[in-house]
Amino acid sequence: MTGLRDSKKEAVRQRLYDAALNRFRTDGYEATSVAAICKDAGVAKGTFFNHFPNKADILAVWYAETMRSAERQHPVPNHLSYANTLISWPVLAVAAASREPDLWRAKHAHAPLSEAIQAAETEADSRIREHCINLLKDAQANGLLRSQLDLPGIADLYLAAVTGTIREWLNTGGRNDLADTLKVRITTLVDLISA
């Protein structure tokens, strides 16, 4: 019986999630009420809070799914140099998230106050950091990087450069070309650590 109860609960959660995203896409995040989401999903308003503490939690799920999907569907080609791979990762991730610019902006705007969004960002950042460390280890083993480098520290600098550049881009309304700015900044870091 537990399996049936769990599958019904998951089906309700999915209906709420789908209804919320549909509303966010048509009416905008701020204009969408929990009541409207529940009406579209065919559930009582209280049911929403059994699945999501607030609307921002839906943005967190969307962001986490978008980042995981981008990694699966658009893996960086193996033939790229480690420098170009470091450039490609954030460009592909941002391209995936920015296919829905209103959701992307809402996620960014609500991140400072949403633990769920912060956790989703941390999860995505941690995966990128681990990929970066492994890539740098391979590059170092192949003599492409200086020896004696603190690879986890370099990965942290890389992540700070990427996330800072993305936040700057979002805060300025996308005035600069994000891919070009990422390329310049990551290339500078690569130049500093190269053998």
Side-chain angles (χ1 to χ4, degrees), residues 31-108:
T32 298
S33 68
V34 170
I37 294 167
C38 293
K39 180 182 176 194
D40 292 352
V43 300
K45 187 174 179 180
T47 302
F48 179 90
F49 300 104
N50 292 333
H51 297 277
F52 301 100
N54 55 55
K55 286 191 321 182
D57 285 60
I58 292 172
L59 290 175
V61 173
W62 167 80
Y63 178 74
E65 288 180 355
T66 300
M67 291 301 97
R68 278 190 233 106
S69 177
E71 289 173 30
R72 283 191 311 272
Q73 294 177 2
H74 304 288
V76 174
N78 291 333
H79 68 277
L80 292 180
S81 68
Y82 83 93
N84 285 332
T85 300
L86 289 172
I87 293 165
S88 295
W89 284 335
V91 170
L92 290 171
V94 168
S98 59
R99 285 188 192 102
E100 303 207 63
D102 294 336
L103 293 178
W104 179 256
R105 280 188 216 95
K107 189 272 314 170
H108 175 66

Side-chain angles (χ1 to χ4, degrees), residues 82 132-152 154 193-195:
Y82 83 93
C132 182
I133 291 170
N134 292 331
L135 181 70
L136 293 174
K137 283 179 183 176
D138 289 345
Q140 195 173 49
N142 289 321
L144 300 173
L145 300 181
R146 290 187 287 123
S147 59
Q148 313 285 322
L149 284 175
D150 172 15
L151 298 184
I154 299 298
I193 63 175
S194 293

Side-chain angles (χ1 to χ4, degrees), residues 165 168-170 172-182 185:
T165 301
E168 175 188 6
W169 178 75
L170 287 165
T172 60
R175 276 185 284 188
N176 57 348
D177 185 292
L178 180 59
D180 286 346
T181 305
L182 283 167
R185 291 178 181 173

Side-chain angles (χ1 to χ4, degrees), residues 180-194:
D180 286 346
T181 305
L182 283 167
K183 184 175 182 178
V184 167
R185 291 178 181 173
I186 295 168
T187 301
T188 299
L189 179 61
V190 166
D191 290 344
L192 291 170
I193 63 175
S194 293

Side-chain angles (χ1 to χ4, degrees), residues 22-34:
N22 287 336
R23 279 286 179 157
F24 295 166
R25 289 170 179 141
T26 58
D27 299 343
Y29 176 82
E30 298 299 337
T32 298
S33 68
V34 170

